[in-house]
PDB file of all heavy atoms in Angstrom:
ATOM      1  N   ASN J1588      88.242  84.931 104.709  1.00 93.00           N
ATOM      2  CA  ASN J1588      86.899  84.373 104.820  1.00 93.00           C
ATOM      3  C   ASN J1588      86.500  83.767 103.473  1.00 93.00           C
ATOM      4  O   ASN J1588      87.274  83.813 102.529  1.00 93.00           O
ATOM      5  CB  ASN J1588      85.882  85.444 105.196  1.00 93.00           C
ATOM      6  CG  ASN J1588      86.132  86.027 106.582  1.00 93.00           C
ATOM      7  OD1 ASN J1588      85.625  87.068 106.912  1.00 93.00           O
ATOM      8  ND2 ASN J1588      86.949  85.352 107.396  1.00 93.00           N
ATOM      9  N   ALA J1589      85.300  83.210 103.417  1.00 95.00           N
ATOM     10  CA  ALA J1589      84.917  82.542 102.165  1.00 95.00           C
ATOM     11  C   ALA J1589      83.446  82.741 101.854  1.00 95.00           C
ATOM     12  O   ALA J1589      82.633  83.025 102.731  1.00 95.00           O
ATOM     13  CB  ALA J1589      85.231  81.066 102.239  1.00 95.00           C
ATOM     14  N   PHE J1590      83.118  82.614 100.559  1.00 96.00           N
ATOM     15  CA  PHE J1590      81.749  82.549 100.081  1.00 96.00           C
ATOM     16  C   PHE J1590      81.516  81.166  99.507  1.00 96.00           C
ATOM     17  O   PHE J1590      82.428  80.575  98.934  1.00 96.00           O
ATOM     18  CB  PHE J1590      81.488  83.562  98.959  1.00 96.00           C
ATOM     19  CG  PHE J1590      81.481  84.999  99.384  1.00 96.00           C
ATOM     20  CD1 PHE J1590      81.885  85.992  98.522  1.00 96.00           C
ATOM     21  CD2 PHE J1590      81.047  85.360 100.659  1.00 96.00           C
ATOM     22  CE1 PHE J1590      81.882  87.320  98.901  1.00 96.00           C
ATOM     23  CE2 PHE J1590      81.027  86.691 101.045  1.00 96.00           C
ATOM     24  CZ  PHE J1590      81.448  87.665 100.165  1.00 96.00           C
ATOM     25  N   LEU J1591      80.292  80.665  99.632  1.00 96.00           N
ATOM     26  CA  LEU J1591      79.909  79.432  98.957  1.00 96.00           C
ATOM     27  C   LEU J1591      79.400  79.811  97.560  1.00 96.00           C
ATOM     28  O   LEU J1591      78.615  80.745  97.429  1.00 96.00           O
ATOM     29  CB  LEU J1591      78.802  78.734  99.725  1.00 96.00           C
ATOM     30  CG  LEU J1591      79.132  78.241 101.126  1.00 96.00           C
ATOM     31  CD1 LEU J1591      77.864  77.732 101.800  1.00 96.00           C
ATOM     32  CD2 LEU J1591      80.159  77.129 101.077  1.00 96.00           C
ATOM     33  N   VAL J1592      79.847  79.095  96.541  1.00 96.00           N
ATOM     34  CA  VAL J1592      79.405  79.380  95.178  1.00 96.00           C
ATOM     35  C   VAL J1592      79.030  78.080  94.488  1.00 96.00           C
ATOM     36  O   VAL J1592      79.857  77.162  94.421  1.00 96.00           O
ATOM     37  CB  VAL J1592      80.524  80.047  94.345  1.00 96.00           C
ATOM     38  CG1 VAL J1592      79.950  80.554  93.045  1.00 96.00           C
ATOM     39  CG2 VAL J1592      81.162  81.154  95.103  1.00 96.00           C
ATOM     40  N   PRO J1593      77.805  77.978  93.994  1.00 95.00           N
ATOM     41  CA  PRO J1593      77.451  76.779  93.233  1.00 95.00           C
ATOM     42  C   PRO J1593      78.252  76.742  91.932  1.00 95.00           C
ATOM     43  O   PRO J1593      78.399  77.759  91.258  1.00 95.00           O
ATOM     44  CB  PRO J1593      75.955  76.961  92.943  1.00 95.00           C
ATOM     45  CG  PRO J1593      75.486  78.034  93.839  1.00 95.00           C
ATOM     46  CD  PRO J1593      76.668  78.890  94.129  1.00 95.00           C
ATOM     47  N   THR J1594      78.806  75.603  91.598  1.00 91.00           N
ATOM     48  CA  THR J1594      79.530  75.451  90.336  1.00 91.00           C
ATOM     49  C   THR J1594      78.612  74.781  89.331  1.00 91.00           C
ATOM     50  O   THR J1594      77.704  74.062  89.735  1.00 91.00           O
ATOM     51  CB  THR J1594      80.790  74.590  90.505  1.00 91.00           C
ATOM     52  OG1 THR J1594      80.386  73.266  90.798  1.00 91.00           O
ATOM     53  CG2 THR J1594      81.710  75.126  91.553  1.00 91.00           C
ATOM     54  N   PRO J1595      78.841  74.884  88.060  1.00 93.00           N
ATOM     55  CA  PRO J1595      79.805  75.765  87.411  1.00 93.00           C
ATOM     56  C   PRO J1595      79.442  77.230  87.611  1.00 93.00           C
ATOM     57  O   PRO J1595      78.276  77.572  87.596  1.00 93.00           O
ATOM     58  CB  PRO J1595      79.709  75.369  85.936  1.00 93.00           C
ATOM     59  CG  PRO J1595      78.359  74.768  85.795  1.00 93.00           C
ATOM     60  CD  PRO J1595      78.073  74.095  87.087  1.00 93.00           C
ATOM     61  N   TYR J1596      80.459  78.064  87.772  1.00 94.00           N
ATOM     62  CA  TYR J1596      80.182  79.494  87.930  1.00 94.00           C
ATOM     63  C   TYR J1596      80.987  80.335  86.950  1.00 94.00           C
ATOM     64  O   TYR J1596      81.933  79.861  86.334  1.00 94.00           O
ATOM     65  CB  TYR J1596      80.395  79.958  89.372  1.00 94.00           C
ATOM     66  CG  TYR J1596      81.771  79.829  89.974  1.00 94.00           C
ATOM     67  CD1 TYR J1596      82.763  80.749  89.698  1.00 94.00           C
ATOM     68  CD2 TYR J1596      82.069  78.803  90.872  1.00 94.00           C
ATOM     69  CE1 TYR J1596      84.009  80.650  90.280  1.00 94.00           C
ATOM     70  CE2 TYR J1596      83.327  78.696  91.455  1.00 94.00           C
ATOM     71  CZ  TYR J1596      84.294  79.622  91.155  1.00 94.00           C
ATOM     72  OH  TYR J1596      85.533  79.538  91.731  1.00 94.00           O
ATOM     73  N   TYR J1597      80.592  81.586  86.851  1.00 92.00           N
ATOM     74  CA  TYR J1597      81.216  82.560  85.938  1.00 92.00           C
ATOM     75  C   TYR J1597      82.694  82.719  86.283  1.00 92.00           C
ATOM     76  O   TYR J1597      83.037  83.009  87.435  1.00 92.00           O
ATOM     77  CB  TYR J1597      80.442  83.872  86.081  1.00 92.00           C
ATOM     78  CG  TYR J1597      81.122  85.112  85.577  1.00 92.00           C
ATOM     79  CD1 TYR J1597      81.514  85.201  84.248  1.00 92.00           C
ATOM     80  CD2 TYR J1597      81.332  86.201  86.413  1.00 92.00           C
ATOM     81  CE1 TYR J1597      82.131  86.348  83.790  1.00 92.00           C
ATOM     82  CE2 TYR J1597      81.927  87.348  85.954  1.00 92.00           C
ATOM     83  CZ  TYR J1597      82.324  87.415  84.631  1.00 92.00           C
ATOM     84  OH  TYR J1597      82.940  88.560  84.180  1.00 92.00           O
ATOM     85  N   PRO J1598      83.600  82.537  85.293  1.00 90.00           N
ATOM     86  CA  PRO J1598      85.035  82.567  85.590  1.00 90.00           C
ATOM     87  C   PRO J1598      85.507  83.886  86.193  1.00 90.00           C
ATOM     88  O   PRO J1598      86.525  83.905  86.893  1.00 90.00           O
ATOM     89  CB  PRO J1598      85.698  82.342  84.225  1.00 90.00           C
ATOM     90  CG  PRO J1598      84.644  81.823  83.328  1.00 90.00           C
ATOM     91  CD  PRO J1598      83.336  82.246  83.870  1.00 90.00           C
ATOM     92  N   GLY J1599      84.780  84.957  85.934  1.00 90.00           N
ATOM     93  CA  GLY J1599      85.205  86.261  86.461  1.00 90.00           C
ATOM     94  C   GLY J1599      85.124  86.363  87.975  1.00 90.00           C
ATOM     95  O   GLY J1599      85.824  87.163  88.575  1.00 90.00           O
ATOM     96  N   PHE J1600      84.259  85.537  88.591  1.00 93.00           N
ATOM     97  CA  PHE J1600      84.137  85.584  90.065  1.00 93.00           C
ATOM     98  C   PHE J1600      85.492  85.387  90.735  1.00 93.00           C
ATOM     99  O   PHE J1600      85.792  86.004  91.753  1.00 93.00           O
ATOM    100  CB  PHE J1600      83.193  84.501  90.568  1.00 93.00           C
ATOM    101  CG  PHE J1600      81.734  84.852  90.418  1.00 93.00           C
ATOM    102  CD1 PHE J1600      80.753  83.883  90.564  1.00 93.00           C
ATOM    103  CD2 PHE J1600      81.338  86.146  90.131  1.00 93.00           C
ATOM    104  CE1 PHE J1600      79.410  84.200  90.441  1.00 93.00           C
ATOM    105  CE2 PHE J1600      79.988  86.473  89.994  1.00 93.00           C
ATOM    106  CZ  PHE J1600      79.034  85.487  90.143  1.00 93.00           C
ATOM    107  N   ASP J1601      86.302  84.496  90.140  1.00 90.00           N
ATOM    108  CA  ASP J1601      87.608  84.210  90.743  1.00 90.00           C
ATOM    109  C   ASP J1601      88.430  85.486  90.880  1.00 90.00           C
ATOM    110  O   ASP J1601      89.096  85.703  91.878  1.00 90.00           O
ATOM    111  CB  ASP J1601      88.384  83.217  89.872  1.00 90.00           C
ATOM    112  CG  ASP J1601      87.888  81.807  90.083  1.00 90.00           C
ATOM    113  OD1 ASP J1601      87.579  81.481  91.240  1.00 90.00           O
ATOM    114  OD2 ASP J1601      87.790  81.052  89.106  1.00 90.00           O
ATOM    115  N   ARG J1602      88.335  86.336  89.849  1.00 88.00           N
ATOM    116  CA  ARG J1602      89.129  87.571  89.886  1.00 88.00           C
ATOM    117  C   ARG J1602      88.500  88.609  90.802  1.00 88.00           C
ATOM    118  O   ARG J1602      89.185  89.273  91.559  1.00 88.00           O
ATOM    119  CB  ARG J1602      89.230  88.160  88.494  1.00 88.00           C
ATOM    120  CG  ARG J1602      89.932  87.205  87.559  1.00 88.00           C
ATOM    121  CD  ARG J1602      90.298  87.844  86.248  1.00 88.00           C
ATOM    122  NE  ARG J1602      91.380  87.046  85.677  1.00 88.00           N
ATOM    123  CZ  ARG J1602      92.114  87.415  84.661  1.00 88.00           C
ATOM    124  NH1 ARG J1602      91.909  88.563  84.105  1.00 88.00           N
ATOM    125  NH2 ARG J1602      93.081  86.645  84.218  1.00 88.00           N
ATOM    126  N   ASP J1603      87.161  88.720  90.695  1.00 91.00           N
ATOM    127  CA  ASP J1603      86.514  89.802  91.432  1.00 91.00           C
ATOM    128  C   ASP J1603      86.532  89.559  92.936  1.00 91.00           C
ATOM    129  O   ASP J1603      86.647  90.502  93.714  1.00 91.00           O
ATOM    130  CB  ASP J1603      85.057  89.949  90.980  1.00 91.00           C
ATOM    131  CG  ASP J1603      84.958  90.095  89.490  1.00 91.00           C
ATOM    132  OD1 ASP J1603      85.960  90.511  88.893  1.00 91.00           O
ATOM    133  OD2 ASP J1603      83.899  89.792  88.916  1.00 91.00           O
ATOM    134  N   VAL J1604      86.407  88.329  93.340  1.00 93.00           N
ATOM    135  CA  VAL J1604      86.276  88.041  94.764  1.00 93.00           C
ATOM    136  C   VAL J1604      87.618  87.659  95.377  1.00 93.00           C
ATOM    137  O   VAL J1604      87.911  88.002  96.507  1.00 93.00           O
ATOM    138  CB  VAL J1604      85.241  86.910  94.975  1.00 93.00           C
ATOM    139  CG1 VAL J1604      85.099  86.595  96.447  1.00 93.00           C
ATOM    140  CG2 VAL J1604      83.905  87.296  94.390  1.00 93.00           C
ATOM    141  N   ARG J1605      88.436  86.960  94.607  1.00 91.00           N
ATOM    142  CA  ARG J1605      89.662  86.437  95.213  1.00 91.00           C
ATOM    143  C   ARG J1605      90.784  87.461  95.225  1.00 91.00           C
ATOM    144  O   ARG J1605      91.470  87.609  96.214  1.00 91.00           O
ATOM    145  CB  ARG J1605      90.138  85.204  94.422  1.00 91.00           C
ATOM    146  CG  ARG J1605      89.383  83.963  94.769  1.00 91.00           C
ATOM    147  CD  ARG J1605      90.232  82.741  94.427  1.00 91.00           C
ATOM    148  NE  ARG J1605      89.745  81.567  95.102  1.00 91.00           N
ATOM    149  CZ  ARG J1605      89.200  80.541  94.447  1.00 91.00           C
ATOM    150  NH1 ARG J1605      89.125  80.532  93.156  1.00 91.00           N
ATOM    151  NH2 ARG J1605      88.757  79.510  95.139  1.00 91.00           N
ATOM    152  N   TRP J1606      90.992  88.143  94.089  1.00 90.00           N
ATOM    153  CA  TRP J1606      92.224  88.923  93.929  1.00 90.00           C
ATOM    154  C   TRP J1606      92.446  89.940  95.020  1.00 90.00           C
ATOM    155  O   TRP J1606      93.341  89.796  95.841  1.00 90.00           O
ATOM    156  CB  TRP J1606      92.194  89.639  92.589  1.00 90.00           C
ATOM    157  CG  TRP J1606      92.688  88.824  91.461  1.00 90.00           C
ATOM    158  CD1 TRP J1606      93.155  87.537  91.525  1.00 90.00           C
ATOM    159  CD2 TRP J1606      92.771  89.223  90.093  1.00 90.00           C
ATOM    160  NE1 TRP J1606      93.511  87.119  90.280  1.00 90.00           N
ATOM    161  CE2 TRP J1606      93.298  88.134  89.383  1.00 90.00           C
ATOM    162  CE3 TRP J1606      92.467  90.386  89.410  1.00 90.00           C
ATOM    163  CZ2 TRP J1606      93.527  88.181  88.013  1.00 90.00           C
ATOM    164  CZ3 TRP J1606      92.699  90.432  88.062  1.00 90.00           C
ATOM    165  CH2 TRP J1606      93.222  89.335  87.371  1.00 90.00           C
ATOM    166  N   ARG J1607      91.676  90.988  95.000  1.00 91.00           N
ATOM    167  CA  ARG J1607      91.953  92.059  95.947  1.00 91.00           C
ATOM    168  C   ARG J1607      91.257  91.864  97.284  1.00 91.00           C
ATOM    169  O   ARG J1607      91.879  92.082  98.318  1.00 91.00           O
ATOM    170  CB  ARG J1607      91.612  93.417  95.329  1.00 91.00           C
ATOM    171  CG  ARG J1607      92.384  93.687  94.051  1.00 91.00           C
ATOM    172  CD  ARG J1607      92.498  95.145  93.762  1.00 91.00           C
ATOM    173  NE  ARG J1607      91.231  95.731  93.416  1.00 91.00           N
ATOM    174  CZ  ARG J1607      91.114  96.900  92.804  1.00 91.00           C
ATOM    175  NH1 ARG J1607      92.193  97.583  92.473  1.00 91.00           N
ATOM    176  NH2 ARG J1607      89.941  97.381  92.535  1.00 91.00           N
ATOM    177  N   PRO J1608      89.981  91.457  97.291  1.00 92.00           N
ATOM    178  CA  PRO J1608      89.378  91.253  98.622  1.00 92.00           C
ATOM    179  C   PRO J1608      90.000  90.072  99.357  1.00 92.00           C
ATOM    180  O   PRO J1608      89.943  90.009 100.569  1.00 92.00           O
ATOM    181  CB  PRO J1608      87.904  90.988  98.311  1.00 92.00           C
ATOM    182  CG  PRO J1608      87.688  91.541  96.960  1.00 92.00           C
ATOM    183  CD  PRO J1608      88.973  91.337  96.224  1.00 92.00           C
ATOM    184  N   GLY J1609      90.619  89.137  98.637  1.00 91.00           N
ATOM    185  CA  GLY J1609      91.239  87.984  99.306  1.00 91.00           C
ATOM    186  C   GLY J1609      90.223  87.043  99.920  1.00 91.00           C
ATOM    187  O   GLY J1609      90.529  86.341 100.872  1.00 91.00           O
ATOM    188  N   VAL J1610      89.011  87.046  99.374  1.00 94.00           N
ATOM    189  CA  VAL J1610      87.974  86.161  99.892  1.00 94.00           C
ATOM    190  C   VAL J1610      87.988  84.874  99.070  1.00 94.00           C
ATOM    191  O   VAL J1610      88.123  84.921  97.849  1.00 94.00           O
ATOM    192  CB  VAL J1610      86.587  86.853  99.799  1.00 94.00           C
ATOM    193  CG1 VAL J1610      85.492  85.902 100.225  1.00 94.00           C
ATOM    194  CG2 VAL J1610      86.577  88.091 100.647  1.00 94.00           C
ATOM    195  N   ASP J1611      87.878  83.756  99.749  1.00 94.00           N
ATOM    196  CA  ASP J1611      87.961  82.474  99.058  1.00 94.00           C
ATOM    197  C   ASP J1611      86.584  82.072  98.537  1.00 94.00           C
ATOM    198  O   ASP J1611      85.566  82.469  99.094  1.00 94.00           O
ATOM    199  CB  ASP J1611      88.496  81.415 100.020  1.00 94.00           C
ATOM    200  CG  ASP J1611      89.164  80.288  99.265  1.00 94.00           C
ATOM    201  OD1 ASP J1611      89.193  80.358  98.018  1.00 94.00           O
ATOM    202  OD2 ASP J1611      89.664  79.356  99.903  1.00 94.00           O
ATOM    203  N   LEU J1612      86.580  81.282  97.454  1.00 95.00           N
ATOM    204  CA  LEU J1612      85.319  80.774  96.932  1.00 95.00           C
ATOM    205  C   LEU J1612      85.282  79.278  97.155  1.00 95.00           C
ATOM    206  O   LEU J1612      86.175  78.561  96.720  1.00 95.00           O
ATOM    207  CB  LEU J1612      85.200  81.075  95.435  1.00 95.00           C
ATOM    208  CG  LEU J1612      85.053  82.553  95.071  1.00 95.00           C
ATOM    209  CD1 LEU J1612      85.036  82.719  93.569  1.00 95.00           C
ATOM    210  CD2 LEU J1612      83.788  83.120  95.669  1.00 95.00           C
ATOM    211  N   ILE J1613      84.269  78.807  97.850  1.00 95.00           N
ATOM    212  CA  ILE J1613      84.145  77.372  98.113  1.00 95.00           C
ATOM    213  C   ILE J1613      83.103  76.810  97.166  1.00 95.00           C
ATOM    214  O   ILE J1613      81.942  77.227  97.194  1.00 95.00           O
ATOM    215  CB  ILE J1613      83.739  77.125  99.560  1.00 95.00           C
ATOM    216  CG1 ILE J1613      84.861  77.604 100.486  1.00 95.00           C
ATOM    217  CG2 ILE J1613      83.448  75.650  99.801  1.00 95.00           C
ATOM    218  CD1 ILE J1613      84.532  77.528 101.927  1.00 95.00           C
ATOM    219  N   PRO J1614      83.513  75.909  96.279  1.00 95.00           N
ATOM    220  CA  PRO J1614      82.561  75.391  95.291  1.00 95.00           C
ATOM    221  C   PRO J1614      81.506  74.481  95.933  1.00 95.00           C
ATOM    222  O   PRO J1614      81.812  73.697  96.818  1.00 95.00           O
ATOM    223  CB  PRO J1614      83.442  74.610  94.324  1.00 95.00           C
ATOM    224  CG  PRO J1614      84.656  74.268  95.080  1.00 95.00           C
ATOM    225  CD  PRO J1614      84.859  75.348  96.113  1.00 95.00           C
ATOM    226  N   VAL J1615      80.278  74.661  95.476  1.00 95.00           N
ATOM    227  CA  VAL J1615      79.196  73.740  95.841  1.00 95.00           C
ATOM    228  C   VAL J1615      78.821  73.050  94.548  1.00 95.00           C
ATOM    229  O   VAL J1615      78.246  73.671  93.659  1.00 95.00           O
ATOM    230  CB  VAL J1615      77.989  74.511  96.396  1.00 95.00           C
ATOM    231  CG1 VAL J1615      76.877  73.544  96.770  1.00 95.00           C
ATOM    232  CG2 VAL J1615      78.399  75.358  97.572  1.00 95.00           C
TER     233      VAL J1615
END
Side-chain angles (χ1 to χ4, degrees):
Chain J
N1588 295 164
F1590 290 149
L1591 297 172
V1592 190
T1594 67
Y1596 61 80
Y1597 162 58
F1600 281 167
D1601 282 322
R1602 298 192 159 193
D1603 307 337
V1604 180
R1605 281 203 162 113
W1606 275 359
R1607 301 204 292 198
V1610 175
D1611 205 359
L1612 292 176
I1613 295 175
V1615 180

